[in-house]
Amino acid sequence: MYINESEKDDYQKFLALEQDKQTRIINAAMKEFLAGYKHATTDAIVREAGISKGLLFHYFGTKEKLYDFLIDYAVDTVKGEYLDLINVWQKDIFDSIWQMSLLKRDVSQKFPVIFEFLASVYIDSKDCPAKVHLARFKEMQTQRFTDIYNHCDRSLFRDDVDPRKAVNIVQWSLSGWADTKAFVLSPRDVGADVAENYESYLEEMKEYLDIFRKCFYK
């Protein structure tokens, strides 16, 4: 994990907890910070997590350190369990997009609001050192999709279709569609089981990918 050496001891107290308790606290805190750093309260976090405020501050010291830790934890989790596992060498770009959806489902089932949390950090006015790490992560996301495109077999596309423009259309379409599904896939009730909702999402995703194949492939 990307942790400042001076803060490692404080974070290790938390990381020494059993995994279930860590996950419960992390999910509760991410959910609360969706409202923005200034509006989030530690009272709501400890109530959701089922721990005392004293214990929360024992682990993190301050609300700011908790927020910075969450950003780093979310970035490292999504990087290690999502971006790093994407096979950029697949020839069919729609197979790559499908794999990305499956990996995202796996991460979201453990941390239901993790992607929504990271998105909220981008628009939060609070300036924190961890946002530098987040900016690098944003660049890596962009680079990963560029790698997928560069390694895909563009000969699969129809001769009268510009592959780059077709991929842009796919990205824009799926991004807009995903925005309409965001609340369903990232429930504010972090105790909810997202598996059923995500399976429905994946079934619909597969239908759209089949349509794109018919439109753009030979």
Side-chain angles (χ1 to χ4, degrees), residues 179-194:
D179 287 343
T180 69
K181 300 289 184 179
F183 188 83
V184 174
L185 298 178
S186 300
R188 298 306 174 105
D189 177 5
V190 297
D193 181 1
V194 300

Side-chain angles (χ1 to χ4, degrees), residues 116-153:
E116 191 176 359
F117 168 73
L118 286 173
S120 74
V121 174
Y122 281 110
I123 61 175
D124 197 333
S125 61
K126 177 182 175 291
D127 185 21
C128 63
K131 293 187 81 169
V132 175
H133 187 205
L134 193 60
R136 295 195 189 103
F137 173 70
K138 181 73 171 178
E139 293 173 2
M140 183 178 177
Q141 281 185 297
T142 302
Q143 184 59 50
R144 187 66 77 242
F145 202 90
T146 298
D147 290 341
I148 289 172
Y149 175 75
N150 288 339
H151 291 121
C152 77
D153 185 353

Side-chain angles (χ1 to χ4, degrees), residues 52-184:
S52 69
K53 184 182 288 189
L55 198 57
L56 184 70
F57 284 111
H58 171 72
Y59 296 139
F60 299 104
T62 67
K63 174 183 169 183
E64 182 175 11
K65 285 186 177 181
L66 169 61
Y67 187 64
D68 291 347
F69 169 84
L70 287 175
I71 296 172
D72 288 337
Y73 189 95
V75 166
D76 288 346
T77 298
V78 174
K79 178 181 180 295
E81 299 185 25
Y82 175 53
L83 293 179
D84 287 350
L85 300 182
I86 296 171
N87 178 10
V88 300
W89 296 95
Q90 293 187 108
K91 296 301 183 182
D92 187 330
I93 196 167
F94 298 116
D95 285 344
S96 296
I97 294 172
W98 177 247
Q99 183 205 20
M100 290 166 66
S101 299
L102 295 178
L103 291 170
K104 191 171 184 178
R105 173 200 60 187
D106 294 342
V107 176
S108 296
Q109 286 179 349
K110 185 176 181 181
F111 301 104
V113 298
I114 190 169
F115 291 99
E116 191 176 359
F117 168 73
L118 286 173
S120 74
V121 174
Y122 281 110
I123 61 175
D124 197 333
S125 61
K126 177 182 175 291
D127 185 21
C128 63
K131 293 187 81 169
V132 175
H133 187 205
L134 193 60
R136 295 195 189 103
F137 173 70
K138 181 73 171 178
E139 293 173 2
M140 183 178 177
Q141 281 185 297
T142 302
Q143 184 59 50
R144 187 66 77 242
F145 202 90
T146 298
D147 290 341
I148 289 172
Y149 175 75
N150 288 339
H151 291 121
C152 77
D153 185 353
R154 288 186 277 278
S155 70
L156 294 172
F157 289 85
R158 285 171 23 200
D159 294 337
D160 61 342
V161 169
D162 181 330
R164 179 70 267 179
K165 290 181 179 178
V167 171
N168 284 340
I169 292 172
V170 171
Q171 282 187 275
W172 297 333
S173 299
L174 291 180
S175 177
W177 171 67
D179 287 343
T180 69
K181 300 289 184 179
F183 188 83
V184 174

